[in-house]
Amino acid sequence: MPRTAAPTPPALIAPLAPGPALFGPVAAGGLVAEIEAYLASLPAPARTPVPYICPYGSTPRPWHAGHPEPRATLLDRALNRPARPVPVGAADHLRLASRYIGAHGWLQGAMWDEAGRVCLLGAQAAVLAHGYGTPATVRTARVQLMEVLHATGRPARSPDEFNDRPTTREGDVHQLLDRAAARAARLGL
């Protein structure tokens, strides 16, 4: 014969005593308060700033970003003349020339080519032609380039000669422009 479980006598079953509810909003409120108290007792995490990196890439920035574009006034348009140049110092002119080379490409032996690449002089001429600075700014910037060339032990008759040397690379031109810009900034030019 199959065995069946014997029924539990009613005296052995403990009645549920009235007390705090095991479930429901009253019990949840106490638990939440306990968790919040525990979290408040923990030390604040050290926040280290992390640069945001967009997962979709970055927005291309023009080479003259950070400088206003030259705008023709009503008088300029009435007289059919170009807009006044944006005033920039020699340091900014040199930085813009470096950024122009970075954006359009670098070459040796010519001021520019059909692809838009430019040499050091071509970059300075392009920055001037786009309305940033004056011819006096370009002259001051070229003096700073010559000073840096001579101070670093790379004498040349002109920055263009340095640009066209067979041993010169694009990185050398950017480094020259950066050093000359830093020197011009220190001198307040």
Side-chain angles (χ1 to χ4, degrees):
M1 261 203 237
R3 280 180 123 179
T4 58
T8 308
L12 296 177
I13 298 177
L16 289 177
L22 299 176
F23 303 103
V26 175
L31 181 62
V32 169
E34 184 180 339
I35 291 172
E36 286 177 348
Y38 169 73
L39 291 175
S41 69
L42 295 176
R47 294 182 182 248
T48 55
V50 178
Y52 173 74
I53 299 173
C54 179
Y56 302 111
S58 62
T59 305
R61 293 178 49 177
W63 61 270
H64 55 78
H67 296 278
E69 291 189 30
R71 299 215 182 263
T73 63
L74 184 59
L75 183 61
D76 292 335
R77 283 184 255 147
L79 296 176
N80 198 21
R81 65 182 183 194
R84 282 192 170 154
V86 174
V88 295
D92 283 336
H93 173 81
L94 291 164
R95 287 186 199 104
L96 286 170
S98 179
R99 286 164 57 180
Y100 192 89
I101 290 172
H104 296 281
W106 175 72
L107 86 139
Q108 291 177 304
M111 278 185 68
W112 56 79
D113 66 2
E114 306 82 36
R117 298 179 304 164
V118 292
C119 71
L120 179 58
L121 179 59
Q124 288 187 286
V127 169
L128 183 64
H130 278 86
Y132 295 98
T134 62
T137 307
V138 177
R139 281 192 298 275
T140 303
R142 290 184 68 76
V143 167
Q144 296 308 308
L145 289 169
M146 288 301 293
E147 292 289 333
V148 170
L149 282 173
H150 287 283
T152 57
R154 299 177 287 185
R157 287 182 295 195
S158 73
D160 313 318
E161 179 187 311
F162 171 76
N163 181 85
D164 293 338
R165 287 181 182 165
T167 57
T168 302
R169 300 288 172 249
E170 183 177 353
D172 300 329
V173 172
H174 285 293
Q175 185 180 36
L176 172 65
L177 287 166
D178 289 342
R179 285 184 176 176
R183 184 177 194 280
R186 274 194 315 272
L187 296 174
L189 303 174

